[in-house]
Amino acid sequence: MATGTIGVEERTPFVFSDEVGKASPGVKLVSATPVTAGCRMIKSSHELELMTIANQATLKVYEAVYHALSPG
């Protein structure tokens, strides 16, 4: 891409967006927060179900690690 505008998601490490800017000096880099924040606010019931499953799995892993800990 030689020209245009690229929205950079706010959680993108600076090093990545900086390299994009160096590789394409004719491109304008802008914050994509107005787009990404809106997308993050709306979740379908399926997305919420998947997030619940992921949270339950994470909790089980934390519990397993906690019970496996021992001094030393």
Side-chain angles (χ1 to χ4, degrees):
M1 212 167 119
T3 62
T5 302
I6 296 177
V8 180
E9 199 269 340
E10 69 266 18
R11 295 181 187 168
T12 302
F14 174 76
V15 66
F16 297 128
S17 57
D18 188 47
E19 290 300 317
V20 169
K22 288 177 186 174
S24 301
V27 170
K28 179 180 177 184
L29 299 177
V30 299
S31 171
T33 300
V35 174
T36 59
C39 292
R40 286 193 180 107
M41 285 191 258
I42 301 169
K43 300 282 184 260
S44 69
S45 59
H46 183 66
E47 286 175 300
L48 292 171
E49 181 183 349
L50 292 174
M51 291 171 71
T52 299
I53 292 168
N55 287 335
Q56 291 168 345
T58 300
L59 182 58
K60 287 182 181 189
V61 170
Y62 287 162
E63 289 172 351
V65 169
Y66 174 78
H67 292 297
L69 292 175
S70 62

